[in-house]
Each structure stands twice: as structure tokens, then as C-alpha cells.
């Protein structure tokens, strides 16, 4: 039976939550959410994780509908891996600055300049860029995959130059980089971070590899969102400075309520400016509407999908076995 569209703004919060739960069951939908989503969305998701965790979940689900609470490239990956599922995204404008920095035509010309280089492409890009790549990587498997390539293999990496520079330094491999970056991770201020470290000398610093080198050099740990979460939960320290999007702090506070987590500051000393504006477009109301109407729906044309599937499958084959670092139904396991 189809449900009449109720304007979500007329529903009180509690009803909105129960309507979302009811629609999810009725439509046999699964809600996948990234750690940068609003805490209320993380709490009602069936699974919360990083890009690699979410790709694996999308490939394995037996739900009819995948409601992707994240950004568009993540939902596109779900569609590429699960073409028979309906994949919906609460707000189709939820893009990514890395994706925007790498237009497919320009990327094609860049690739053509280095015909003897293997192209490792960060998952934060469009399906059309994936379709022109050799292997897709995420921040949690890039180093592991890179280490499987023969030493004499020439490498190019797109679109995040900071992740590329970090990997090149860590593995000692030379690479050609596409000059893209994440607007969120670029905003952290080294001066403010040093000030914060001086105020909290006992607190280890954990950072995402999308941060520039001047932030990463102050980090005790560098990793994907899942890896950052694992680090703070397992490390005996009681206080941490966290240089990534502040949405991740929700899982930290929830899973380690006795520890203190301080978001790394931007240039004005305030970490709120480091919220991802694309992730923030998804709201509970839009999630409700999305489940109700089963739209906006992600579409990837079949030729692009088949071409993008090959480097994504290569990534899944070359990734380490799954490690239990993500949070499920709002709880770490
Ligand atoms: P993770 O794969 O580490 O979750 O990163 C995704 C992302 O967009 C970071 O900005
Ligand atoms: Fe893209 Fe940066 Fe937002 Fe991640 S945090 S989705 S890389 S803009």
C-alpha cells in the first residue's frame, strides 16, 4: 500500500522517528550512514561506518532499498555494486569538494599524459572518474593496496593531493598527484592546533589523511574515520584532539562517555567551521521524505557502471579482511 506524503515539517520529532522506522520496514529498506552525518541520523541507521565499510555493506545487503545517508559519491558506489537495488539519497546536492575538483574530462586528459602509470583513485570522486581508473582506494585501505604494487610500477593518484602526499611519505613511493583537496580538512589551523596541544599536552592527536601535512605532522595517529574511532576507543588516554569532521565525535562520546574529545580548530579557533557542508544537507525530514517517496534516486548509466565496477571490485579484492571497527545501530562492536 502506498503511503500518502505527509509534509515532514508537520510531524513532531518523535513521530518522525517512528514514521521512519515504519517506512523502513514497509519498504524493506536499509539505512546506511557515514560517521559525518548528524547524530540523530547515525542513531537510527542500521549501520554506521567509513567509506570502505559502507561499500561492503551496500554490496552485501539483501534489502530492496538502500537509503544512503552520506554524500552522493558514496551512494553512487552502492548503486554500482548493487545495481538491482533502489538507492536513494536524502539530498541529491550532497556532493563533495574532492569530486568537484576532478571533472571527468580533465581527469581523462591528465591520465592520458601518464600512459605507463597505474591510476589509484580515491573513492571520493564521480562514477565517471572511477570508470577511468585502475584501482579505487579509500583512506582505510590505500596504504595496504599500494604496498601490493610492484616496486617498479609507476603510480598516479587522484583526486586528493594531501592523501597522496601522506601515502607517498609513508610508503616511500613516488607518485604523480591530481591537485584536489577537501575543503573541510584544509580548514584546520596549525597555529590553533599547536595552541590546543600546549593546553592539553597529555592528549594524543588523531587526524584524517585528507588533512594537509602541516596538520598531519602533529598527529600521533593518522587514519580513516573507522580507524580514528578505533584508536580513541582502544588507547588508554582520557583526552584526545581530533582533526576530522566533528560528526565523528558523536560515536566517540557515545562509546567512551568517560573520555574527553576535542575537535581540532579552524583558523578562528572554532571547530564548527569544519563541519562538512555537503554531509549537513541530509536531515531527518529529508530522510523521512526520501523513504516515503523513494527519491531522489541514484542512477548510473550502465556503460559507466560496468567500467567503474572493475576498479571497485579490484579494491574489494585487494583490501584487508574486514576489521570490526565500525559502529552498528549506533554501537561500536
Ligand atoms: P572515510 O573513508 O575515512 O570515512 O572518509 C570519507 C570522507 O569523505 C572523509 O572526508
Ligand atoms: Fe568530501 Fe571533505 Fe565532505 Fe569528506 S569531508 S565528503 S572529502 S567535502
Amino acid at each position: 500500500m502506498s503511503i500518502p506524503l505527509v509534509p515532514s515539517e508537520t510531524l513532531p520529532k518523535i513521530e518522525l522517528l517512528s514514521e521512519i522506522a515504519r517506512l523502513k520496514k514497509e519498504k524493506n529498506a536499509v539505512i546506511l550512514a557515514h560517521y559525518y552525518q548528524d547524530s540523530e541520523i547515525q542513531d537510527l541507521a542500521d549501520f554506521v561506518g567509513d567509506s570502505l565499510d559502507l561499500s561492503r555493506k551496500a554490496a552485501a545487503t539483501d534489502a530492496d532499498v538502500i537509503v544512503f545517508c552520506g554524500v552522493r559519491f558514496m551512494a553512487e558506489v552502492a548503486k554500482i555494486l548493487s545495481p538491482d537495488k533502489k538507492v536513494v539519497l536524502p539530498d541529491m546536492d550532497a556532493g563533495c569538494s574532492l569530486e568537484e575538483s576532478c571533472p571527468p574530462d580533465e581527469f581523462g586528459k591528465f591520465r592520458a599524459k601518464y600512459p605507463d602509470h597505474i591510476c589509484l583513485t580515491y573513492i571520493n570522486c564521480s562514477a565517471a572518474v572511477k570508470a577511468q581508473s585502475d584501482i579505487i582506494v579509500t583512506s582505510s585501505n590505500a596504504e595496504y593496496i599500494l604496498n601490493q604494487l610492484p616496486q617498479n610500477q609507476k603510480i598516479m593518484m587522484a583526486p586528493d593531493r594531501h592523501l597522496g602526499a601522506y601515502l607517498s611519505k609513508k610508503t616511500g613511493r613516488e607518485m604523480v598527484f591530481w591537485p584536489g583537496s577537501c575543503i573541510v580538512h584544509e580548514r584546520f589551523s596549525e597555529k590553533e592546533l599547536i595552541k590546543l596541544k600546549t593546553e592539553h599536552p597529555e592528549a594524543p592527536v588523531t587526524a584524517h589523511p585528507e588533512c594537509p601535512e602541516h596538520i598531519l605532522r602533529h598527529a600521533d595517529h593518522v587514519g580513516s574515520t573507522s580507524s580514528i574511532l578505533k584508536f580513541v576507543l582502544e588507547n588508554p588516554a582520557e583526552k584526545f584532539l581530533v582533526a576530522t569532521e566533528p560528526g565523528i565525535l558523536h560515536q566517540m562520546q557515545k562509546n567512551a562517555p568517560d573520555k574527553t574529545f576535542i575537535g581540532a580548530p579552524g583558523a578562528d579557533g572554532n571547530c564548527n567551521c569544519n563541519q562538512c557542508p555537503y554531509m549537513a544537507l541530509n536531515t531527518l525530514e529529508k530522510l523521512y521524505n526520501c523513504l516515503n517517496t523513494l527519491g531522489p534516486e541514484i542512477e548510473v548509466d550502465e556503460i559507466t557502471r560496468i567500467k567503474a565496477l572493475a576498479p571497485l571490485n579490484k579494491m574489494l579484492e585487494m583490501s584487508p579482511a574486514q576489521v570490526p571497527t565500525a559502529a552498528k545501530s549506533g554501537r561500536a562492536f
Side-chain angles (χ1 to χ4, degrees):
M1 191 187 82
S2 79
I3 305 293
L5 180 62
V6 182
S8 52
E9 61 275 16
T10 64
L11 291 176
K13 169 84 78 59
I14 189 85
E15 273 183 47
L16 200 53
L17 295 175
S18 67
E19 275 298 286
I20 289 171
R22 184 183 64 76
L23 286 168
K24 192 173 75 112
K25 203 163 163 203
E26 185 187 278
K27 312 239 166 151
N28 189 24
V30 64
I31 300 178
L32 305 182
H34 188 264
Y35 289 122
Y36 296 165
Q37 288 291 277
D38 185 84
S39 54
E40 285 171 332
I41 294 182
Q42 290 190 41
D43 285 348
L44 58 74
D46 296 291
F47 185 81
V48 189
D50 71 6
S51 307
L52 179 63
D53 302 325
L54 293 169
S55 309
R56 283 170 157 157
K57 282 286 161 192
T61 184
D62 55 9
D64 295 322
V65 178
I66 299 173
V67 182
F68 214 110
C69 295
V71 289
R72 200 173 47 237
F73 77 80
M74 296 176 177
E76 261 182 9
V77 168
K79 185 69 187 174
I80 294 165
L81 293 171
S82 289
D84 299 334
K85 314 277 175 204
K86 196 181 260 291
V87 180
V88 291
L89 179 68
D91 191 320
M92 203 46 106
D93 289 333
C96 168
S97 65
L98 277 166
E99 176 181 343
E100 286 168 12
S101 78
C102 193
D105 290 352
E106 295 302 310
F107 177 71
K109 288 181 206 151
F110 173 71
R111 263 228 78 167
K113 281 203 267 177
Y114 304 97
D116 54 349
H117 286 55
I118 192 166
C119 184
L120 259 56
T121 306
Y122 192 33
I123 197 163
N124 297 38
C125 64
S126 63
V129 165
K130 287 185 179 77
Q132 301 177 68
S133 305
D134 294 311
I135 310 173
I136 302 303
V137 296
T138 77
S139 51
S140 63
N141 60 20
E143 185 181 344
Y144 189 85
I145 290 177
L146 202 48
N147 284 333
Q148 294 171 59
L149 303 180
Q151 275 305 321
N152 60 355
Q153 173 65 62
K154 292 183 181 165
I155 302 162
M156 60 191 287
M157 174 131 204
D160 187 0
R161 69 192 162 102
H162 298 307
L163 174 68
Y166 166 74
L167 290 168
S168 178
K169 194 170 168 194
K170 187 95 198 279
T171 62
R173 306 287 296 257
E174 261 184 47
M175 295 178 206
V176 174
F177 306 129
W178 176 270
S181 60
C182 162
I183 51 166
V184 174
H185 290 85
E186 278 214 317
R187 279 191 202 131
F188 293 116
S189 156
E190 182 181 19
K191 193 168 134 238
E192 294 295 331
L193 181 59
I194 292 171
K195 232 196 261 174
L196 204 61
K197 277 182 75 138
T198 315
E199 285 164 32
H200 306 280
E202 74 285 23
V205 178
T206 175
H208 197 280
E210 287 174 16
C211 291
E213 207 280 323
H214 62 253
I215 297 296
L216 295 181
R217 65 174 166 240
H218 299 285
D220 300 286
H221 165 263
V222 177
S224 71
T225 49
S226 286
S227 170
I228 286 176
L229 184 59
K230 185 171 193 277
F231 174 75
V232 303
L233 297 183
E234 291 179 356
N235 190 291
E238 286 172 1
K239 193 187 276 181
F240 298 85
L241 306 184
V242 182
T244 193
E245 213 270 359
I248 188 92
L249 301 181
H250 176 60
Q251 293 295 333
M252 295 179 178
Q253 278 147 0
K254 203 165 164 178
N255 289 289
D258 297 335
K259 292 187 177 187
T260 304
F261 306 103
I262 305 171
D268 61 355
N270 175 358
C271 68
N272 287 337
C273 62
N274 293 321
Q275 193 186 30
C276 174
Y278 306 97
M279 290 275 182
L281 288 174
N282 295 329
T283 61
L284 269 190
E285 287 76 14
K286 289 179 195 168
L287 170 55
Y288 164 81
N289 284 335
C290 176
L291 264 167
N292 205 359
T293 63
L294 294 187
E297 186 178 355
I298 296 285
E299 315 259 13
V300 180
D301 76 79
E302 192 56 9
I303 294 174
T304 307
R305 192 190 73 79
I306 298 288
K307 285 187 184 157
L309 182 61
L312 270 170
N313 276 339
K314 195 96 195 129
M315 169 187 89
L316 294 173
E317 275 163 42
M318 294 177 81
S319 293
Q322 194 161 15
V323 278
T325 55
K328 197 177 184 181
S329 297
R331 281 178 302 119
F333 66 97

